[in-house]
Amino acid sequence: MNDNIRELEAGIESDFTEQLSYGAYLDLPRLLSAQHPRSVPLLHDEMLFIIQHQVAELWLKLLLHELHSARDLLATDDLSPALKRLARVKHVLKQLVEQWDVLATLTPSEYAEIRPFLATSSGFQSWQYRSVEFLLGNKNADMLRVFDHDGEVRDGLAQLLAEPTLYDEFVRYLSRRGYAVPAAVLDRDVTQAYREVPELVTLFAQVYAAPAEHWGVYEACEEFVDIEDLFQQWRFRHLQVVLRTIGHKSGTGGSSGVDFLRRALDLTFFPELYSVRSTVT
């Protein structure tokens, strides 16, 4: 026997003429044939650019799956499984952050060759990214017109715009648990971006002053902060990769590029959970 060869064990399946295979289960023929470089002649680095963004969209799909579930669980007062979903969200966000390192291997000269073939397409037009932002609280009705060309996508975003965010459901959960959530928060117009409410800072100050007495809520607050922290890291890495690749040129979709991305760093999903930190002694 050759010690450098691992023999197939007798029980390993090898005939998939009628049984389900790994490739069929994952629909790999379709997945792996979805990369269509547009450069002529073909540019080596365009495959990196395409796969990077396709993988990001797959992670975003999982984020939406988990965030929708976490929101629904909070709406039915099931905090523990909701926290499990949020823990997974954090790990997905870490993958999205670290993935920028791969795209950063693309030099300005290499990207300059690819860029003309992107035409007017841009990551700004990612409806899944916009859905994540809507679910987390960064609502902006003006974004809908970017998707006027696709009625199904626009309708889906419009529905998310009209629904409570993950944070909305969390504060509603707190209210049902007897916490003094202001009526203005519970009755707010959920189509608008969330704005900080001082009374909620006071509420969270009580939680942080006695974590053991409010452990589930305290844990949830820290999960939310972790998620925002990681989301901001994702935004920052995006900005840095764009800066090192195209400098201060405008984006392919017409944005101002780096300056537009930098303004996103001022946006926050859970403002009271950051403001409360100034009260902790």
Side-chain angles (χ1 to χ4, degrees):
M1 179 181 293
N2 189 333
D3 291 338
N4 290 324
I5 296 178
R6 184 176 62 169
E7 301 291 341
L8 284 181
E9 295 175 351
I12 290 179
E13 298 286 351
S14 60
D15 183 357
F16 297 99
T17 53
E18 295 183 0
Q19 299 188 90
L20 181 65
S21 70
Y22 173 82
Y25 176 73
L26 295 178
D27 199 3
L28 288 182
R30 180 164 56 164
L31 180 66
L32 298 179
S33 63
Q35 295 73 46
H36 306 291
R38 294 174 177 265
S39 54
V40 180
L42 185 64
L43 295 167
H44 174 82
D45 294 308
E46 190 178 2
M47 186 63 76
L48 160 63
F49 193 86
I50 292 171
I51 290 177
Q52 167 90 20
H53 289 84
Q54 287 182 337
V55 170
E57 289 295 331
L58 286 173
W59 283 128
L60 288 171
K61 182 174 184 176
L62 182 56
L63 274 184
L64 289 169
H65 179 67
E66 301 298 338
L67 289 171
H68 275 290
S69 178
R71 186 185 63 172
D72 293 345
L73 287 165
L74 287 173
T76 57
D77 295 339
D78 292 327
L79 181 61
S80 293
L83 292 177
K84 173 65 175 179
R85 304 292 190 270
L86 297 183
R88 185 173 293 163
V89 164
K90 294 193 302 183
H91 286 290
V92 175
L93 285 170
K94 287 178 183 177
Q95 297 301 312
L96 283 165
V97 172
E98 292 176 0
Q99 159 174 336
W100 285 117
D101 292 344
V102 183
L103 194 63
T105 65
L106 197 64
T107 69
S109 300
E110 291 164 347
Y111 180 64
E113 292 183 309
I114 297 170
R115 199 175 195 220
F117 299 98
L118 303 182
T120 55
S121 65
S122 168
F124 176 79
Q125 299 149 15
S126 167
W127 65 264
Q128 289 200 118
Y129 172 80
R130 200 61 55 199
S131 297
V132 170
E133 285 218 320
F134 279 14
L135 267 169
L136 290 177
N138 184 22
K139 300 283 188 79
N140 185 343
D142 287 343
M143 293 295 179
L144 295 183
R145 59 190 175 90
V146 177
F147 306 95
D148 283 344
H149 66 285
D150 189 328
E152 184 178 353
V153 166
R154 191 188 188 284
D155 290 347
L157 283 169
Q159 180 176 336
L160 270 181
L161 186 74
E163 292 175 355
T165 69
L166 177 69
Y167 195 51
D168 286 325
E169 289 296 358
F170 178 54
V171 295
R172 292 177 182 184
Y173 165 82
L174 294 178
S175 178
R176 292 191 298 271
R177 299 287 292 181
Y179 290 86
V181 178
V185 177
L186 299 173
D187 301 330
R188 82 177 192 90
D189 181 355
V190 297
T191 66
Q192 300 300 308
Y194 188 83
R195 295 289 183 268
E196 182 173 334
V197 177
E199 292 86 349
L200 271 188
V201 178
T202 303
L203 185 159
F204 288 125
Q206 297 169 0
V207 171
Y208 277 81
E213 298 176 19
H214 309 272
W215 187 257
V217 172
Y218 175 72
E219 184 181 5
C221 291
E222 287 300 286
E223 291 289 318
F224 282 120
V225 171
D226 286 344
I227 288 171
E228 174 142 351
D229 190 337
L230 285 162
F231 203 93
Q232 288 288 49
Q233 290 181 45
W234 187 92
R235 283 171 169 164
F236 182 73
R237 285 295 291 134
H238 185 191
L239 183 156
Q240 289 299 105
V241 171
V242 170
L243 182 61
R244 69 181 287 164
T245 307
I246 66 170
H248 289 276
K249 293 178 183 176
S250 61
T252 51
S255 75
S256 58
V258 166
D259 290 338
F260 179 78
L261 295 174
R262 183 173 286 119
R263 288 196 295 275
L265 295 175
D266 293 328
L267 302 174
T268 180
F269 299 125
F270 321 121
E272 293 88 359
L273 296 180
Y274 280 89
S275 293
V276 73
R277 280 153 163 73
S278 301
T279 72
V280 177
T281 58

